[in-house]
Amino acid sequence: ATILDDPVKASNTRGTLTFATAGPNTRTTQLFINYKDNSRLDKMCFSPIGEVVEGMDVVDKFYSGYGEGAPEGKGPDQDLIEKRGNAYLTAKFPLLSYIKSAELVATNEGGEGSSDGLLQ
């Protein structure tokens, strides 16, 4: 199943967490963290849903030796990830970094989340 697009309310700047997409209303569960200013993605409906507010230095240490996914790079093939899951990743990409936990933090006095709807 795919997920409908959210309106772009924040720019794809360094540290933002964004759903990957292959076009309008084609999101699945794949997310990425922007390592640099990728504001060019804003016009292509890549809508950030969160932001790394602490620990970007850790993100910068993620293993990057595989590069982009196939066929552009030596990284994982998206179709095989979908078909075989983590078994494929651990067998073929043993140096791949994993996020084991993440936390939603309050960004205002009133509770979780921010007033503009962007999770932090």
Side-chain angles (χ1 to χ4, degrees):
T2 57
I3 303 168
L4 298 179
D5 292 336
D6 289 322
V8 178
K9 294 183 178 180
S11 188
N12 283 277
T13 56
R14 177 173 162 76
T16 53
L17 178 68
T18 305
F19 274 105
T21 180
N25 298 317
T26 60
R27 296 184 302 172
T28 59
T29 56
Q30 183 182 4
L31 297 162
F32 64 91
I33 299 171
N34 286 291
Y35 278 85
K36 62 180 183 175
D37 180 352
N38 283 318
S39 55
R40 62 183 175 76
L41 298 177
D42 301 349
K43 294 177 185 172
M44 300 184 315
C45 297
F46 285 83
S47 181
I49 63 159
E51 180 178 15
V52 177
V53 294
E54 186 177 308
M56 194 61 191
D57 58 318
V58 175
V59 173
D60 287 333
K61 294 176 186 173
F62 287 175
Y63 183 74
S64 62
Y66 299 122
E68 291 294 320
E72 292 86 15
K74 298 181 287 185
D77 180 293
Q78 298 301 316
D79 288 335
L80 290 176
I81 294 172
E82 192 171 321
K83 290 175 186 168
R84 298 182 44 209
N86 225 29
Y88 162 68
L89 293 173
T90 56
K92 299 292 184 181
F93 302 93
L95 300 177
L96 195 64
S97 299
Y98 289 84
I99 298 172
K100 292 187 178 183
S101 67
E103 181 179 343
L104 178 65
V105 296
T107 59
N108 57 34
E109 299 290 324
E112 291 185 4
S114 68
S115 59
D116 67 2
L118 177 68
L119 300 178
Q120 303 252 343

